[in-house]
Amino acid sequence: MSEAHKITLATAWLDGCSGCHMSFLDLDQRLIELAEKVDVVYSPIVDTKELPPVVDVGILEGAVSTEEDLHKARMFRGRCQFLISLGDCAVSGNVPSMRNTFDLDDVLDRAFVENVQAQPGRPSESLPTLLRTVLPIHHVVQVDLFVQGCPPSADTIWQVLTELMAGNTPDPTQFTRFGA
Amino acid sequence: MNLEDLADITEAVAAAAESRRHCVRVCMAASCQSCGSGEVLEGLQTQAKQNADDGVCIKPVGCMGLCSAGPLVSVDSDQPATALLYQDVTVDDTEDLYHSLGDQPVERLRCRTDVPFFARQQKVVLENSGIIDPEQIDDYIAAGGYRSLMRAVTEMSREEVLREVKESGLRGRGGGGYPAGLKWATVAMAPEPHKYVICNADEGDPGAFMDRAVLESDPHRVLEGMALAGYAVGAEHAYIYIRAEYPLAVERLKTAIKQATKKGLLGRRICETALSFEVEVRLGAGAFVCGEETALMASIEGRRGQPRPRPPYPAEEGLWKCPTLINNVETLANIPAIVGKGGAWFKSIGTENSTGTKVFALAGRIANSGLIEVPMGIPLREIVHEIGGGIPDGRRFKAVQTGGPSGGCLPEQFLDMPVEYDTLRSAGSIMGSGGMIVMDETSSMVDVARYFMEFCMDESCGKCVPCRAGTVQLYGLLDKIADGEATPSDLELLEELCDVVQATSLCGLGQTAPNPVLSTLRYFRHEYEEKLRPESERMPRMQIVTLDD
Amino acid sequence: MTHPPAATNPAPKVRVVTLKIDDHDVGARETDSILEIAQANGIRIPSLCYLDGLSTWGACRLCMVEIEGFSKPVSACSTTATEGMKITTNSARLKRYRRMILELLFAERNHVCSVCVSNGHCELQDLAAECGMDHVRVPYRNATYTIDSSHDLFRVDHNRCVVCTRCVRVCDEIEGAHTWDVMGRGVNCQVITDLNQPWGDSQSCTSCGKCVQVCPTGALVKKGTAAGEMEKHDDFVPYLAQMRKRQ
């Protein structure tokens, strides 16, 4: 298979703990096998800074919590042929969404004032605006596949990717579930 | 009490009426009272006192029907179509009105009675409404009341009473449309010695006030119907479950029960027989779901008003696990006439599968809002455009909502459809208890659906998941659509959710909650679609929910 | 007015019927519910509020099945068998309904599995996996319910409650204390101890812990358990129910 026919893959890390990306790295030696068929064109684990205009498969980890997340989710949807929500945060909001039941001002004060010893105070610039409500990816853009788990195991990710590469639509519920 | 006593009372009432020069009737039902008919009544009584004119009888009566023109006052004739009728009467008018008796009518207050609103109606349930004093049992007896009960318990067998009800083809007026005769027969057949009769007066549909008017205007009719039901099925105890939001109806019912018991028409040894029939009033504490029969019975038993799966049906296992007959107010109010005049007579009114008359409460964008009684099978157009007087302010008719939160919206193309249980159902609505809300071109159907969904969401008891957690999501989706923030996938989800809530909810409340959405989607889909934005502009709802308390 | 004495009739004779569940021919007593018959024959019908040994509640609507000749599905737990019934337990339509009902439950309150003490031992979580409910399409309601930790041994987290009333029923029917009940309506429904007093102040609670064991989710838990540690055992219920019946 020549370079030109490699499947392009982009991943991004929105509001989550990066555990899903760690799980992806847990593919270990299978990453080498993957690299023969897949070209990771944009990801926190590669150097590229720009999402190419057309990508075969997009994977989003984390929930949509900020204007920045919203922008990224929309950009991924616009450019990726097939979009995957990876992990419970992306699929359900999970832990980040637990702030939804609190007032946003209270959340900010707790994070930047009450629990801070040195120079307490809310940051005024260079941070993306928080959304009122943390949302799963599919409440913002259309998603093609949902992979649950906190995080989904490397085996789950491998199953999903190999099925996809074989041209099939995987059924992740066979390997994983909420909270797994 | 026996038939002769009834005849004596009738004669005495007639003689008293004869001795009067004039009889002035003032509507004292809740609607007219709320716009000041109490003061009008007092004003007229003061006039009578001042003029020391014994020849004039000032009589508080029940609903005359045309609620939008209240307070209503009628003079002399006991038939609204021939009486001199005054509308929008205030206490300041009472002097003029009083002095006009026997002279030229007060033209500025006159309400035309030669219009379809009065001429096209046919009254069975409401035959005494607006004519007799609901707080005087003698008035009801003079109008022919308690004859059916008396004759039934002394001259007819239980089977004969049952046969008349079956023959009449009467169907449940509470909304279900289940054949009353069949229900009665099932309870009658039950071998258990203890049985109950329940009158369901927990009328809760927004825009419906039929049962309230019947109870406020002619409570004895309902009691007589209940006693007949008790005789036919073999029950000696009965409950009237009525919502506490109807204080006037409750008061009049209690008065009526007291009067009837005193006269030996209710209680122990009724009508000089060995039979007993005791009626108790139970107040509902404001839950719509308690109109559902299993929830209603739970509430009477002192438990949480929540439905349970059926079967077993109440006829088999009802109140305190005893066979129980539950009928709605209007159903029972038809019974004295059916037993008195015969099932065949009742069957001659209306259509083959929907016999008799039906009381409707007209509300919304319609000229004559109020209470009407018409034969079944009458075209919708006649109700809306003739009896109802059409749409005010020169606007166009758009839809009529029948059946309350369980019903649906019917557009213009159905105006010539006969109003029957089955035709309404085939058109995607239901007869329901008889609320009719008329909408004109300015009404948004999405808003209508959202309104009814909000009602169902608030009234869901919370027992089953699809109704508890589903109606709240349906409301949210409708709200999103109404606000122009929804996409086609939201509409798709709305339709799927409607299907789930309808098919899987435990009781009628949830099963029918999607009806207003489904019927507006069926006939006014474009109004939904016009409000959608493209899928690429998906807008999440960012809101948090605070709990009630 | 008094209500009548309980019927003292001897137990009526129970007939045996044959019926078909998903093309399996099965025999059953006519007093058995479809759900009981299915379980006895190894046919799985998802359910949540049903628990062997407790009275039938019929509220979760997950056990809906189709019966030939019926236009609407019925709940298997509250429908008894009749001769010749043909039942389908797993049609595409029923799967769709179950999935949506689970979505509604997950959206109604806070069911974040990853940090729940019942993670891995939760019937709601298992049902989601079983029914293929892999994401919730309706908006999450994000409502805040309370947590009551006033009891010495147990805790109730209403955010995880699905209002199945198993706790209410086991407390009333097996323990006989009737500490639990339900208040409010619609989405504001909530299980309560006594007259909505803190559980720790309850005069009627015997601290037997049956409610905790029968709770299908992480709503009723033992104190001191961390994420994933709360395992439950409700297999004692049918045994105790039998014992109570014999008394």
Side-chain angles (χ1 to χ4, degrees), chain A residues 74 100 132 135 138 140, chain B residues 535 538 540-544:
Chain A
R74 287 187 172 145
N100 286 353
R132 177 71 202 81
L135 298 157
H138 67 278
V140 182
Chain B
E535 204 59 57
R538 200 178 272 205
R541 277 261 147 150
M542 298 192 196
Q543 55 183 16
I544 53 168

Side-chain angles (χ1 to χ4, degrees), chain B residues 205-229:
Chain B
D205 289 2
F209 44 90
M210 298 78 53
D211 296 348
R212 188 191 73 198
V214 171
L215 291 168
E216 285 174 358
S217 310
D218 199 4
H220 286 287
R221 169 178 289 271
V222 181
L223 294 176
E224 188 180 358
M226 289 176 73
L228 282 163

Side-chain angles (χ1 to χ4, degrees), chain B residues 300-497:
Chain B
I300 291 181
E301 290 175 11
R303 293 184 289 122
R304 200 174 143 79
Q306 282 185 327
R308 60 158 173 81
R310 297 177 304 178
Y313 287 91
E316 189 189 329
E317 211 178 292
L319 198 59
W320 287 301
K321 296 206 182 295
C322 296
T324 303
L325 175 74
I326 302 191
N327 277 141
N328 149 276
V329 170
E330 194 186 331
T331 314
L332 290 165
N334 270 304
I335 299 297
I338 289 172
V339 176
K341 297 178 186 172
W345 160 81
F346 190 81
K347 204 176 164 64
S348 71
I349 309 169
T351 65
E352 198 185 341
N353 289 320
S354 301
T355 58
T357 59
K358 178 78 192 85
V359 181
F360 290 105
L362 296 181
R365 305 271 165 80
I366 190 159
N368 304 327
S369 50
L371 211 62
I372 59 160
E373 184 172 359
V374 288
M376 291 274 192
I378 187 174
L380 257 179
R381 185 183 300 281
E382 221 172 303
I383 294 181
V384 174
H385 285 293
E386 295 181 28
I387 298 173
I391 316 299
D393 307 326
R395 296 216 175 102
R396 271 176 57 84
F397 169 87
K398 183 170 187 179
V400 57
Q401 210 277 351
T402 73
S406 313
C409 291
L410 300 173
E412 189 145 23
Q413 71 208 70
F414 288 101
L415 275 182
D416 291 311
M417 187 182 74
V419 175
E420 289 178 302
Y421 286 100
D422 310 311
T423 48
L424 282 170
R425 195 171 287 274
S426 66
S429 186
I430 57 164
M431 176 79 75
S433 59
M436 273 196 187
I437 301 170
V438 180
M439 287 153 233
D440 69 20
E441 56 198 317
T442 61
S443 316
S444 153
M445 301 319 272
V446 180
D447 286 349
V448 170
R450 179 174 60 169
Y451 168 78
F452 281 109
M453 194 53 70
E454 185 176 16
F455 179 84
C456 290
M457 171 181 78
D458 289 342
E459 295 297 341
S460 168
C461 77
K463 178 172 175 175
C464 77
V465 180
C467 178
R468 179 183 77 222
T471 51
V472 71
Q473 294 288 358
L474 281 169
Y475 172 75
L477 283 166
L478 288 165
D479 197 46
K480 196 174 174 188
I481 295 170
D483 289 352
E485 293 176 6
T487 61
S489 65
D490 288 315
L491 186 59
E492 220 172 277
L493 193 59
L494 178 81
E495 291 189 273
E496 187 180 340
L497 197 48

Side-chain angles (χ1 to χ4, degrees), chain C residues 159-173:
Chain C
N159 294 289
R160 306 253 185 223
C161 177
V162 291
V163 206
C164 67
T165 72
R166 281 189 191 179
C167 54
V168 178
R169 284 175 285 151
V170 81
C171 187
D172 177 36
E173 297 163 14

Side-chain angles (χ1 to χ4, degrees), chain A residues 19-20 22-28 30 151-161:
Chain A
C20 300
M22 295 302 132
S23 220
F24 180 77
L25 290 176
D26 279 345
L27 287 173
D28 298 338
R30 286 175 289 194
S153 66
D155 287 346
T156 301
I157 296 173
W158 180 247
Q159 290 282 1
V160 168
L161 291 179

Side-chain angles (χ1 to χ4, degrees), chain B residues 191-205:
Chain B
E192 284 84 350
H194 272 90
K195 296 178 190 178
Y196 291 97
V197 168
I198 297 175
C199 170
N200 184 349
D202 194 56
E203 180 176 56
D205 289 2

